[in-house]
Amino acid sequence: MGYQLIEHIEVGAGGVSSIEFTGIPQDGVDLVLMLSLRGDTNPDMRFNNDSSANYSYTLMRGFGSGITNDAAGAQNRIYLTALSNNQSTTTANTFSNVKIYISNYASSVAKSVSIDGVTENNATSAVATISAESWNNSSSITSIRVFTNPINEFSTASLYKITAD
């Protein structure tokens, strides 16, 4: 199995409200999305612009001062909000870093998503999160949209497909 870059996006001056990958090739096994984000609100994600209640999650977050966990079904987005995006209140010029693994993205069954993310901050308010999520839809994933407002300049997103060879 190998990683093959589909697209890399770097946010320019002024920031953006979303990062979107469209026309995702259907010849891979799985997808990996790597994010390095900074913004003033926490991000979320949708597949194929689906805003129906087809998403669910289970997560655990670790703080400098403790841990929390949460779970919910019938959500209208992938719950990247749990990652506590680096915001203007965190250490300057630091970014949240997230790895999102999407299994069987081109199949006609529900999609399993695992997320591992951290904020960077020189304080006890830094957060590490792991979550297991799903998208209960039989469509293959042809687009991914990460959205918050804003996503600051120098944030990056890289989408890879995992190939069988």
Side-chain angles (χ1 to χ4, degrees), residues 8-70:
H8 173 78
I9 297 170
E10 183 172 327
V11 176
V16 295
S17 60
S18 67
I19 295 172
E20 190 162 5
F21 297 94
T22 60
I24 296 171
Q26 299 298 295
D27 58 347
V29 176
D30 300 330
L31 293 173
V32 173
L33 178 57
M34 305 290 274
L35 302 172
S36 180
L37 299 176
R38 186 174 177 93
D40 287 331
T41 59
N42 294 321
D44 290 310
M45 183 172 68
R46 289 192 177 124
F47 300 132
N48 299 353
N49 291 316
D50 179 10
S51 60
S52 300
N54 292 326
Y55 305 88
S56 61
Y57 69 89
T58 301
L59 66 90
M60 183 171 56
R61 296 170 63 176
F63 303 86
S65 58
I67 61 169
T68 63
N69 57 40
D70 190 19

Side-chain angles (χ1 to χ4, degrees), residues 103-115:
S103 299
N104 300 312
Y105 77 98
S107 72
S108 60
V109 299
K111 312 307 180 282
S112 167
V113 181
S114 36
I115 301 173

Side-chain angles (χ1 to χ4, degrees), residues 24-158:
I24 296 171
Q26 299 298 295
D27 58 347
V29 176
D30 300 330
L31 293 173
V32 173
L33 178 57
M34 305 290 274
L35 302 172
S36 180
L37 299 176
R38 186 174 177 93
D40 287 331
T41 59
N42 294 321
D44 290 310
M45 183 172 68
R46 289 192 177 124
F47 300 132
N48 299 353
N49 291 316
D50 179 10
S51 60
S52 300
N54 292 326
Y55 305 88
S56 61
Y57 69 89
T58 301
L59 66 90
M60 183 171 56
R61 296 170 63 176
F63 303 86
S65 58
I67 61 169
T68 63
N69 57 40
D70 190 19
Q75 300 296 299
N76 68 355
R77 79 260 190 253
I78 292 289
Y79 196 58
L80 294 180
T81 302
L83 296 172
S84 299
N85 191 30
N86 273 63
Q87 301 177 8
S88 58
T89 57
T90 61
T91 304
N93 302 313
T94 60
F95 292 76
S96 296
N97 292 288
V98 184
K99 180 180 181 181
I100 302 165
Y101 195 97
I102 306 162
S103 299
N104 300 312
Y105 77 98
S107 72
S108 60
V109 299
K111 312 307 180 282
S112 167
V113 181
S114 36
I115 301 173
D116 183 2
V118 296
T119 61
E120 301 293 332
N121 195 17
N122 294 332
T124 59
S125 62
V127 179
T129 304
I130 58 171
S131 66
E133 309 204 20
S134 68
W135 182 47
N136 189 20
N137 192 301
S138 62
S139 298
S140 61
I141 295 172
T142 58
S143 69
I144 297 173
R145 182 172 172 250
V146 176
F147 56 98
T148 185
N149 195 15
I151 299 173
N152 290 358
E153 181 179 13
F154 304 120
S155 293
T156 61
S158 298

